[in-house]
C-alpha cells in the first residue's frame, strides 16, 4: 500500500519525510503542545529524527499512519494527525494529533481529523476508531465529541508522562455511525 496524501479546503496531509524534522521538533518541544500528549517535550533534534523514522517504519509494517499537516496558504508544516495502534485484522485504529499553538482554535485539527476519519472508514475499511485523551484536555474532548466520537469511559492509569501514570478518557466512533451521518 502506498502512502496516500489527503487534501481539504485549507490543508494538505502529507507523508512526514526528513524535510519536516525541524518544524516537527519545533512543535513537539513546546510544553503547551505536549502537556496532554502522553510524552514529554522533545529536548533534542535527534529525538524528532527518531520519531519521524518511526512514522515511516510503522507505516511500512501497517501499525500506524501519520500525516504532516501542511497549511496550504503558506506551505508551512503545522502539526501531525494520524492513526495509531492500527490493526488490519481487527479493523481498528486510534486517532492522534497535535498542532502548533499559533494555529489553535481555527478549526484546523477538526478539518484534518475529519479527513482522516473519512479515509479510515472509506479507504481502509476500518470498523472502529478510538481516541484517548487526558480528562483535563477539554479542547480535545470537545473536538472528539463534535466529530461524532462517544465517550466510553475512564482508563485508570493508562497514560505515563512526567514520571507518573495518568487516567485517560476513551472515545470511539464506529463505521455504521459515520455512514449513517453521511447519508
Amino acid at each position: 500500500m502506498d502512502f496516500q496524501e489527503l487534501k481539504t479546503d485549507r490543508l494538505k496531509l502529507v507523508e512526514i519525510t526528513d524535510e519536516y524534522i525541524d518544524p516537527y521538533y519545533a512543535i513537539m518541544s513546546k510544553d503547551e503542545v505536549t502537556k496532554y500528549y502522553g510524552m514529554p517535550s522533545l529536548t533534542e533534534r535527534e529525538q524528532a529524527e527518531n520519531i519521524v523514522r518511526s512514522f515511516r517504519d510503522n507505516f511500512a509494517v501497517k501499525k500506524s499512519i501519520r500525516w504532516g499537516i501542511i497549511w496550504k496558504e503558506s506551505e508551512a508544516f503545522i502539526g501531525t494527525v494520524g492513526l495509531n495502534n492500527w490493526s488490519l485484522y481487527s479493523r481498528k485504529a486510534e486517532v492522534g494529533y497535535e498542532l502548533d499553538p499559533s494555529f489553535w482554535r481555527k478549526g484546523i485539527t477538526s478539518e484534518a481529523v475529519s479527513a482522516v476519519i473519512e479515509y479510515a472508514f472509506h479507504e481502509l475499511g476500518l470498523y472502529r476508531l478510538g481516541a484517548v485523551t487526558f480528562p483535563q484536555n477539554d479542547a480535545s474532548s470537545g473536538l472528539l465529541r463534535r466529530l461524532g466520537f462517544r465517550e466510553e469511559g475512564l482508563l485508570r492509569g493508562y497514560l505515563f508522562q512526567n514520571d507518573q501514570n495518568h487516567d485517560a478518557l476513551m472515545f470511539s466512533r464506529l463505521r455504521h455511525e459515520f455512514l449513517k451521518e453521511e447519508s
Side-chain angles (χ1 to χ4, degrees):
M1 169 192 282
D2 292 331
F3 193 95
Q4 180 70 46
E5 288 191 4
L6 307 176
K7 290 187 171 134
T8 70
D9 289 342
R10 301 179 294 168
L11 310 171
K12 291 190 296 188
L13 305 182
V14 302
E15 186 171 8
I16 302 171
T17 59
D18 289 349
E19 73 180 287
Y20 300 119
I21 291 171
D22 289 330
Y24 178 75
Y25 173 72
I27 293 166
M28 296 306 290
S29 62
K30 294 177 179 166
D31 290 339
E32 67 262 48
V33 173
T34 61
K35 180 177 182 180
Y36 298 125
Y37 199 74
M39 70 176 227
S41 297
L42 301 184
T43 57
E44 297 177 13
R45 185 181 188 278
E46 184 180 357
Q47 294 169 305
E49 289 174 22
N50 292 336
I51 293 170
V52 167
R53 187 177 318 113
S54 77
F55 291 155
R56 277 193 303 267
D57 294 346
N58 286 328
F59 177 71
V61 295
K62 307 298 179 254
K63 288 187 177 184
S64 69
I65 307 173
R66 200 76 176 186
W67 289 269
I69 302 171
I70 304 297
W71 183 245
K72 282 182 180 177
E73 188 176 296
S74 64
E75 291 295 314
F77 180 96
I78 61 171
T80 79
V81 62
L83 298 171
N84 307 311
N85 301 318
W86 176 23
S87 170
L88 290 169
Y89 174 78
S90 300
R91 298 182 3 206
K92 65 182 179 181
E94 292 179 4
V95 175
Y97 41 83
E98 80 282 328
L99 193 66
D100 186 286
S102 61
F103 288 87
W104 287 359
R105 301 195 193 338
K106 297 179 186 209
I108 292 168
T109 306
S110 179
E111 192 173 322
V113 173
S114 293
V116 170
I117 291 169
E118 187 171 323
Y119 179 76
F121 287 134
H122 282 300
E123 302 300 322
L124 297 178
L126 298 186
Y127 179 76
R128 173 192 166 88
L129 285 178
V132 176
T133 188
F134 282 76
Q136 305 87 341
N137 192 345
D138 294 330
S140 190
S141 295
L143 168 79
L144 293 167
R145 287 185 181 97
R146 285 190 304 279
L147 293 177
F149 283 77
R150 294 186 191 171
E151 184 178 330
E152 294 183 328
L154 186 71
L155 302 173
R156 298 180 309 142
Y158 188 76
L159 298 169
F160 186 78
Q161 182 169 328
N162 298 328
D163 295 322
Q164 63 183 34
N165 287 81
H166 300 270
D167 294 344
L169 290 178
M170 182 61 160
F171 289 83
S172 70
R173 186 158 187 203
L174 303 180
R175 179 182 172 82
H176 66 86
E177 297 164 344
F178 173 76
L179 295 176
K180 183 178 176 185
E181 287 177 15
E182 263 195 335
S183 56

